[in-house]
Amino acid sequence: MNAGSTELEARRSLIRHALEMNRSGLNQGSSGNLSLRWGEGMLITPSGIAYDRLGPEDLVPMALDGICEHALAPSSEWRMHADIYRARPEAGAVVHAHPVHCTALAMHGREIPAVHYMIAAAGGKTIRCAPYHTYGTPELSAAAVQALQGRGACLLANHGMVAIGPGLERALWLALEVETLAHQYLLALQLGAPTVLSDEEIERVVVKFRDYGLKQAT
């Protein structure tokens, strides 16, 4: 959100992007979760409530150490969001979802290699896949933070994916791009092993992406 945004605007934006995440097909029901860095902590979607039933007052404010005083329980993945914010000070938003194609690859523990130059949108030559850990645990959180080193997105083995950005718009855009890459990669694998672009080419494209499209979007 912009520096001058009010908390009510931030809450409405979080709901709007949660609804868009499901409309886009990136997520189903209330299985995913989104958060927005706010003040010294974050606003995060509550646990187990369909997004189309959320009002601004339902978004849960939390400190990054997990302290929370709200009538609703925060998302069961709050720890992963909080640890990402602590590890990545440039992150203003986190999107976690279970998109079909990303999750299919994650079920095999497979990363996405540089089979298309758009992989550079996530900051490197691969979309890594973090090893499996039970949802909501410190172990999963640590694995996600490690897989995100130098990246804006990663897969979570036998689980889903996570993407970060300076704001919700960018984070959701990146999540959709990664799901598209996963879909393309799965289709290409049906014809055999696809061509992987060189590290040097991806490094060139990563530089070009620093000025691409939604750089200023939040």
Side-chain angles (χ1 to χ4, degrees):
M1 298 296 293
N2 296 329
S5 297
T6 68
E7 184 172 343
L8 180 57
E9 289 170 335
R11 288 170 176 270
R12 286 173 173 167
S13 178
L14 197 52
I15 293 172
R16 185 171 67 253
H17 284 87
L19 291 170
E20 177 58 29
M21 181 171 74
N22 278 18
R23 277 195 298 266
S24 71
L26 191 68
N27 195 63
Q28 306 80 39
S30 59
S31 60
N33 35 77
L34 300 85
S35 68
L36 181 66
R37 190 190 292 272
W38 190 254
E40 297 301 314
M42 64 180 175
L43 291 170
I44 190 166
T45 48
S47 178
I49 299 180
Y51 298 138
D52 60 4
R53 293 172 51 204
L54 290 178
E57 70 281 359
D58 296 324
L59 281 302
V60 181
M62 294 191 72
L64 297 186
D65 62 3
I67 294 176
C68 172
E69 296 180 3
H70 194 271
L72 297 177
S75 164
S76 57
E77 297 291 8
W78 68 263
R79 187 187 305 273
M80 181 169 63
H81 290 249
D83 286 351
I84 289 171
Y85 288 130
R86 279 198 292 264
R88 300 291 292 271
E90 78 279 17
V94 176
V95 170
H96 167 55
H98 303 163
V100 172
H101 302 95
C102 283
T103 303
L105 288 173
M107 287 173 176
H108 286 273
R110 295 185 70 153
E111 67 179 17
I112 306 175
V115 289
H116 193 288
Y117 74 83
M118 279 298 292
I119 202 165
K125 63 183 181 180
T126 59
I127 305 293
R128 302 186 188 104
C129 184
Y132 178 78
H133 295 283
T134 304
Y135 77 90
T137 60
E139 292 79 10
L140 175 61
S141 178
V145 168
Q146 183 173 359
L148 283 169
Q149 288 183 1
R151 302 288 193 271
C154 72
L155 306 184
L156 305 172
N158 303 90
H159 187 153
M161 62 89 66
V162 61
I164 65 175
L168 288 164
E169 184 176 353
R170 180 72 179 196
L172 184 57
W173 171 82
L174 181 57
L176 287 165
E177 288 296 334
V178 173
E179 171 63 359
T180 298
L181 282 169
H183 191 179
Q184 293 166 337
Y185 182 39
L186 283 168
L187 289 174
L189 285 170
Q190 296 179 37
L191 301 176
T195 300
V196 176
L197 297 172
S198 69
D199 292 353
E200 293 75 18
E201 174 60 14
I202 296 304
E203 288 172 5
R204 282 192 289 269
V205 182
V206 166
V207 172
K208 292 173 71 69
F209 262 98
R210 291 173 185 164
D211 296 312
Y212 180 83
L214 291 171
K215 180 181 179 183
Q216 301 302 322
T218 60

